[in-house]
Amino acid sequence: MKAMTPEEEAANIVKGALGEYVLESKIPKPRRVYIHVKPEANKKAVSTLLQSFPCAIISTITGIDLGETIEINYHFWCGKAEVTIRTNVPKSKPKIETITDIIPGALLYEREVHDLLGVKFINHPNLARLLLPESWPENSYPLRKDWNPKHVGNLAYSLEKTITLGETRTEKNAGLLVNVIVGPQHPALHEPERFLFKLDGEIVVDVEPRLGYAHRGIEKGAERLMFFQDVHLIERVCGICNVAHTTCFCQAVETLGKIEVPPRAQYLRMIVHELNRIHSHLLLLGIVGLEIGFESLFQYLWRDREIVLDLTEKLTGNRVMAEYSTIGGVRRDLTPVLGDEIKRGLRKIKDRLSFYREIFQSDPTVELRTKGIGMLSEEKALKLCVVGPVARGSGVKSDVRKHDPYAAYEDAPFREVLYKDGDSWARLMVRLDEVGESIDIITWAVDNIPGGPFRTRVPRRMPKREALSRVEAPRGELIHFVRGNGTAYPERVKIRSPTLANIISFREMIRGCYVADIPAVLASLDPCFSCTDRMVFLDEKSGRKWVWTLNDLKARRRI
Amino acid sequence: MGLDVAFFFRILIFPGFLFLFTFTLFCDWFERKIMARMQNRMGPSYTGPFGILQPLADYIKLLTKEDIIPHHARRFLFTLTPIVSFSLSMLSIFCFPLDGMNIFSNRGFEGDLLFVLALVTFAHFLLFLSGWSSSNPYGWIGAARIITQFVGYDIPLIISTLGPAYLAGSLSLAKISSSQTVPFALLTPWTFILFLISLQAELEEDPFDVPHAETEIVAGYGTEFAGRKLAFIRLSKDTQIIFGAALAATLFLGGPYGPVFFNPPNFWFIVYFALKVLFVIAVLEFVEAVCARLRIDHVIRGNWRVIVPASLISLILTVISSPYIRFLMEAQI
């Protein structure tokens, strides 16, 4: 008898436990499993899965409006396969049991689905708005197919309501605690986001993050554009890890249409992806230098980052927004001369890297500010389902490139960087070491790149199927779930950026730390809020109403 | 009346207010430029030759900006503190023997060392008040940090100034600087190093710049200041840096006295003094460039556990070795 593959194993475990509650199960592709269960058995399916795979984490929850029903997909990564548990709830009464009590990492995903599709999760501890503003009308769910911007009406965005959010929570010792609001505009945050910190003197007691200040409605927008146009929209999800987003989306669409990508394109994608990672990691390490008040480190790191940006420009034509991957391949070829230049530039960075490693390992002030600060233990990391360098800094194996290889990573020689410490320092060192690994990958890829075409022609229409693609973005696991409907337009595009998975752990890390640690710990997460807040279509005209005009400001000015 | 004209010229023009103001701006530029060069940047480079007029341009720009007072701020204190803080810092520099004599054309009085230290402590206290009166959480935290830090580091600073005072046998700035045939920095380097560390903390430079750590509490006590008030706050900070460097130069580097003199001596006094001040600033900036910011608890613990005991020990060491040091000083003569 043939040994069972992990995918079959997962499917059989759930089937065995649930019996007739399983409606359907399929394995369309290695490492992808879809199991359709009845809504009442949903929670049991999840708990069975978690019990049989102790290191399973929830990737995200996707909601899709099917007209009569709303389909809810729970995506889990079980160490060897991505298992999707699917269930349908009626649109008239969209209610389902929460799973947050068995897996707390699902907190934000359930709130997201509730926010955008109106599914009520019974017994969820805090089913508040995640991305939409507080004044968004009830019963208006932007990701439903019958939604129309007119439903929102005149969005009277009340500033008072937004500011008092969170402070209404009364505590017994409220008199002793100070509420400090950090953001939406704050020098330590490079993107608009708001955190409400409860301070006892200089010590942080609790924090409430509020996401959603950078909505652009990309998921909704993607449904209104054709696949090949979507590539350029998806590119704009995030400025820094744009290559990860396009690669992920293109892979999903290629799986959808069963398109074979030429091997040369796979290698080129990997090269640009890794250049992108180096640039992102150096950027973050520089920002950490700035956050802990080490400006010289910041300036040095960002100067060296210029080398990578120049190389990216030479290869792709753009410094930051690469616009490189496309459905069916890449847009530009690599010449041997440029290959040598890339290798030379990276050698320079590698030399500098040993200098930076020495700084991070031995500088006493850096050590004081990062070692033992912002602890996240391995169990907590698993429970909260963190991804990327944050997970690897706590010793959780989570590198998608290693465990779920895509592009040419199956052949590339590299090491998954793991640190056991679980503090800010470990998270930074993971990134520092990954830069070295990325340099090795690129050098190897340039030497071993196969010949042939770098792009194939693809049809515009995509069949009625679905595909889930995972890549290791610089900040962690990035997931795109794409469903086609037989036309050139996607039925649904779901993006789960790594920051949404990681932001939940910030609360865990920062409790008991000092105010001065807030920026350094937050930066060690490498949060990217423009990635995280992209799901909502907001009517610009009415949404802008809360902004005070110059005359308003003048009227309020004290003369 | 002729005497009065000379007196006012000294106070207002040279080496008084105008000269010191220009020198403050120059030092601001100097600080920024060497900092930038150490960080691989250009630094100010457009306004004037080598960007030397950039600080002046910045201040002029600030003076033209809208002056906002927040609703809940204590209006009187909020307006008063930047001006008084600047004036106090300036006044304390007036007491230094810039060209052998202080600005008021005399050699000061016995104990003017303590007088300037008191003045500058008071100037710091005004910075605390400015943050406290601005009714902004960042301002409050910054103010609390500033007072915690200064209460701590004033003590080692004053203890380390006692070393040179003991060796010179006087608490007069002029006498201390004139008694240094060999700079005290060479004779008692242990006191000099401790003095520089406490000075770094007093001036809120890295690694001690917690009271205005941008990434944590925006601009700390200065968050709510704008326009003219911000200009004065910044001038006050710049003047305090000059004060700190001038104190170090007077106590440890022999003040205005240099190895060689030409005519007119008064002019060369100033030149030597300025060079020494710039040297001290360069040292302070170098430390700032190679350090990350500490946390407030590190700063306070470091003070009480390390710096204060060390400064006491260094004072004892100075007293014990004073016969030997005096012998060295006389041998030089």
Side-chain angles (χ1 to χ4, degrees):
Chain A
M1 209 180 100
K2 218 179 94 191
M4 265 202 303
T5 57
E7 302 93 51
E8 285 165 359
E9 193 188 332
N12 285 344
I13 286 170
V14 176
K15 265 193 233 168
L18 271 77
E20 81 272 22
Y21 285 109
V22 177
L23 298 170
E24 189 198 357
S25 78
K26 56 177 178 179
I27 303 170
K29 181 184 171 197
R31 297 190 294 271
R32 298 283 182 272
V33 190
Y34 293 90
I35 305 168
H36 197 158
V37 301
K38 288 186 181 168
E40 55 269 31
N42 170 54
K43 195 164 182 175
K44 196 170 172 209
V46 172
S47 61
T48 319
L49 201 65
L50 289 178
Q51 272 160 19
S52 21
F53 297 96
C55 64
I57 61 163
I58 184 161
S59 300
T60 188
I61 302 174
T62 311
I64 307 173
D65 180 11
L66 296 179
E68 290 296 299
T69 53
I70 291 177
E71 183 184 300
I72 304 169
N73 294 305
Y74 295 82
H75 307 285
F76 290 91
W77 175 249
C78 298
K80 290 203 172 85
E82 181 82 17
V83 180
T84 301
I85 292 180
R86 169 172 299 164
T87 185
N88 283 3
V89 291
K91 200 168 165 183
S92 49
K93 249 191 200 164
K95 274 186 186 165
I96 196 162
E97 192 80 8
T98 180
I99 57 162
T100 48
D101 45 347
I102 33 183
I103 182 154
L107 271 167
L108 293 183
Y109 307 135
E110 289 196 348
R111 276 172 69 183
E112 183 190 334
V113 174
H114 167 251
D115 217 8
L116 302 176
L117 280 143
V119 178
K120 299 266 182 303
F121 289 90
I122 303 159
N123 298 332
H124 187 284
N126 175 24
L127 207 56
R129 291 243 181 250
L130 178 70
L131 297 158
L132 296 175
E134 262 65 36
S135 55
W136 192 268
E138 292 290 317
N139 305 321
S140 165
Y141 303 109
L143 278 183
R144 289 191 180 178
K145 293 290 175 194
D146 52 6
W147 184 81
N148 183 319
K150 280 178 199 146
H151 288 180
V152 182
N154 197 353
L155 188 64
Y157 202 107
S158 101
L159 194 65
E160 282 71 31
K161 201 172 173 186
T162 322
I163 283 183
T164 51
L165 188 157
E167 282 97 310
T168 46
R169 257 180 53 182
T170 51
E171 293 192 17
K172 277 178 191 163
N173 51 355
L176 298 172
L177 298 179
V178 184
N179 286 331
V180 173
I181 297 173
V182 174
Q185 315 299 338
H186 189 272
L189 302 170
H190 304 274
E191 287 164 295
E193 219 58 54
R194 200 169 63 93
F195 294 91
L196 175 81
F197 288 100
K198 290 186 192 306
L199 305 182
D200 183 6
E202 287 261 351
I203 294 172
V204 181
V205 180
D206 203 357
V207 57
E208 271 182 49
R210 178 70 171 99
L211 310 171
Y213 284 86
H215 293 169
R216 284 152 295 156
I218 286 182
E219 279 185 19
K220 187 81 180 171
E223 293 172 12
R224 297 175 180 199
L225 294 175
M226 284 188 261
F227 282 106
F228 75 97
Q229 294 172 316
D230 273 339
V231 176
H232 304 285
L233 180 65
I234 300 287
E235 179 104 30
R236 269 135 194 99
V237 167
C238 176
I240 296 167
C241 44
N242 56 72
V243 178
H245 279 281
T246 45
T247 307
C248 195
F249 180 73
C250 293
Q251 278 180 8
V253 177
E254 283 149 10
T255 318
L256 208 62
K258 299 225 162 80
I259 299 160
E260 277 292 319
V261 183
R264 189 174 177 84
Q266 302 276 31
Y267 273 71
L268 287 173
R269 272 185 189 172
M270 186 166 82
I271 290 172
V272 177
H273 195 27
E274 292 304 319
L275 280 176
N276 194 228
R277 188 185 317 280
I278 298 174
H279 132 68
S280 172
H281 281 352
L282 290 183
L283 177 138
L284 183 266
L285 292 170
I287 285 180
V288 168
L290 194 64
E291 305 291 27
I292 62 173
F294 202 160
E295 273 177 46
S296 310
L297 182 65
F298 161 69
Q299 304 281 359
Y300 273 67
L301 275 161
W302 278 41
R303 185 194 59 182
D304 289 337
R305 177 173 156 265
E306 285 299 308
I307 301 173
V308 188
L309 291 181
D310 288 346
L311 292 176
T312 314
E313 186 182 5
K314 278 180 184 147
L315 182 54
T316 69
N318 293 309
R319 265 166 64 87
V320 178
M321 283 301 201
E323 296 276 8
Y324 195 63
S325 296
T326 187
I327 300 168
V330 294
R331 292 157 62 88
R332 280 185 176 208
D333 203 2
L334 174 79
T335 60
V337 179
L338 183 56
D340 287 343
E341 202 173 327
I342 288 178
K343 282 200 280 184
R344 230 176 305 133
L346 292 180
R347 218 172 295 139
K348 221 181 278 170
I349 296 183
K350 191 138 200 184
D351 291 343
R352 302 287 296 161
L353 213 57
S354 54
F355 167 66
Y356 295 127
R357 186 171 290 128
E358 199 186 308
I359 289 182
F360 276 100
Q361 277 178 336
S362 63
D363 188 277
T365 40
V366 172
E367 195 184 309
L368 269 176
R369 295 302 305 277
T370 54
K371 272 209 175 154
I373 310 284
M375 292 298 290
L376 185 72
S377 64
E378 194 175 341
E379 308 109 79
K380 280 276 178 197
L382 262 178
K383 230 175 177 179
L384 296 173
C385 304
V386 297
V387 295
V390 180
R392 291 197 284 282
S394 296
V396 179
K397 286 184 182 170
S398 69
D399 198 331
V400 179
R401 297 175 292 172
K402 203 84 189 169
H403 304 294
D404 187 10
Y406 54 98
Y409 285 107
E410 205 142 16
D411 313 326
F414 71 101
R415 177 174 70 88
E416 180 177 7
V417 182
L418 280 179
Y419 277 80
K420 293 271 172 206
D421 309 38
D423 51 6
S424 298
W425 180 82
R427 292 191 278 278
L428 300 179
M429 288 307 286
V430 166
R431 294 191 174 94
L432 201 62
D433 288 358
E434 274 186 5
V435 174
E437 295 298 322
S438 294
I439 291 172
D440 290 347
I441 293 175
I442 297 173
T443 316
W444 177 85
V446 169
D447 286 338
N448 292 293
I449 190 162
F454 59 91
R455 192 174 178 179
T456 51
R457 290 192 70 81
V458 292
R460 284 195 178 177
R461 285 165 197 270
M462 290 294 160
K464 200 173 172 179
R465 265 203 293 265
E466 65 214 337
L468 186 135
S469 161
R470 303 166 80 225
V471 305
E472 180 73 19
R475 295 173 169 82
E477 174 207 43
L478 169 72
I479 287 183
H480 283 219
F481 179 79
V482 182
R483 176 175 286 183
N485 55 6
T487 65
Y489 297 87
E491 175 76 13
R492 175 87 167 90
V493 178
K494 162 75 192 171
I495 306 165
R496 204 297 315 276
S497 68
T499 303
L500 192 63
N502 286 340
I503 197 72
I504 195 169
S505 64
F506 179 54
R507 192 174 191 171
E508 189 60 42
M509 291 174 189
I510 201 67
R511 271 186 203 159
C513 285
Y514 284 79
V515 177
D517 294 328
I518 293 172
V521 173
L522 188 60
S524 78
L525 280 176
D526 196 1
C528 173
F529 299 116
S530 71
C531 281
T532 310
D533 309 341
R534 79 217 114 51
M535 297 89 162
V536 175
F537 187 78
L538 189 69
D539 192 339
E540 279 274 319
K541 250 188 211 156
S542 47
R544 214 177 252 165
K545 283 218 160 168
W546 66 278
V547 176
W548 283 350
T549 63
L550 190 65
N551 284 335
D552 286 344
L553 280 175
K554 275 187 182 155
R556 284 177 168 81
R557 187 182 62 181
R558 186 173 163 174
I559 301 166
Chain B
M1 290 306 278
L3 187 74
D4 276 351
V5 171
F7 182 71
F8 280 116
F9 180 78
R10 264 187 83 80
I11 284 186
L12 292 177
I13 315 277
F14 188 87
F17 184 81
L18 196 64
F19 168 74
L20 284 176
F21 184 70
T22 321
F23 187 58
T24 310
L25 295 183
F26 174 76
C27 285
D28 193 10
W29 171 83
F30 179 71
E31 245 174 74
R32 286 161 70 171
K33 199 76 181 173
I34 56 170
M35 193 67 171
R37 296 315 296 158
M38 278 192 272
Q39 294 180 343
N40 259 299
R41 288 187 286 122
M42 293 286 290
S45 47
Y46 292 106
T47 327
F50 306 106
I52 205 162
L53 295 177
Q54 190 61 49
L56 183 66
D58 287 351
Y59 285 118
I60 291 172
K61 192 203 82 172
L62 275 180
L63 293 180
T64 62
K65 290 279 172 185
E66 186 188 356
D67 202 353
I68 302 166
I69 299 176
H71 251 298
H72 300 287
R74 302 288 161 83
R75 226 179 153 181
F76 178 69
L77 271 180
F78 192 72
T79 318
L80 195 68
T81 44
I83 304 166
V84 178
S85 173
F86 169 62
S87 324
L88 283 177
S89 321
M90 207 43 139
L91 179 63
S92 56
I93 300 183
F94 278 17
C95 298
F96 281 100
L98 293 175
D99 52 353
M101 292 187 286
N102 65 20
I103 305 275
F104 309 110
S105 296
N106 58 43
R107 296 184 49 82
F109 54 91
E110 187 65 35
D112 57 0
L113 170 63
L114 296 181
F115 178 64
V116 293
L117 286 173
L119 276 185
V120 88
T121 307
F122 198 57
H124 281 148
F125 186 70
L126 282 164
L127 286 182
F128 157 76
L129 276 185
S130 72
W132 198 250
S133 62
S134 65
S135 84
N136 173 312
Y138 299 126
W140 291 336
I141 294 179
R145 284 180 175 189
I146 221 175
I147 206 78
T148 331
Q149 187 163 323
F150 289 151
V151 165
Y153 279 87
D154 259 354
I155 297 166
L157 185 83
I158 292 170
I159 294 175
S160 21
T161 56
L162 290 180
Y166 178 79
L167 290 176
S170 165
L171 281 174
S172 144
L173 288 166
K175 274 188 196 150
I176 293 174
S177 60
S178 61
S179 69
Q180 295 178 53
T181 47
V182 180
F184 286 144
L186 296 178
L187 294 172
T188 59
W190 53 87
T191 325
F192 185 53
I193 288 166
L194 278 168
F195 178 81
L196 282 186
I197 293 173
S198 348
L199 193 62
Q200 192 87 353
E202 285 279 295
L203 299 175
E204 305 165 37
E205 303 237 350
D206 261 334
F208 302 104
D209 65 341
V210 279
H212 58 98
E214 311 83 46
T215 51
E216 296 154 25
I217 49 170
V218 191
Y221 57 87
T223 307
E224 286 293 345
F225 287 91
R228 277 161 284 175
K229 297 193 191 68
L230 182 61
F232 272 107
I233 286 267
R234 288 199 40 189
L235 262 180
S236 163
K237 284 309 305 172
D238 284 346
T239 327
Q240 277 174 25
I241 287 173
I242 307 271
F243 163 81
L247 191 63
T250 310
L251 296 180
F252 291 95
L253 299 173
Y257 302 99
V260 230
F261 276 103
F262 310 95
N263 273 328
N266 276 25
F267 175 71
W268 286 97
F269 277 141
I270 290 280
V271 169
Y272 280 122
F273 197 81
L275 285 177
K276 284 169 183 173
V277 166
L278 290 181
F279 169 74
V280 176
I281 288 179
V283 172
L284 295 179
E285 289 301 308
F286 177 74
V287 175
E288 175 156 14
V290 299
C291 281
R293 182 187 306 126
L294 293 171
R295 235 165 44 191
I296 185 75
D297 60 317
H298 297 148
V299 170
I300 302 303
R301 210 175 298 145
N303 175 41
W304 294 111
R305 293 208 183 147
V306 184
I307 307 288
V308 170
S311 60
L312 282 170
I313 291 168
S314 86
L315 183 61
I316 295 167
L317 197 64
T318 310
V319 172
I320 291 171
S321 57
S322 63
Y324 178 63
I325 292 168
R326 288 226 174 84
F327 170 73
L328 274 182
M329 282 162 67
E330 270 150 34
Q332 190 67 27
I333 297 165

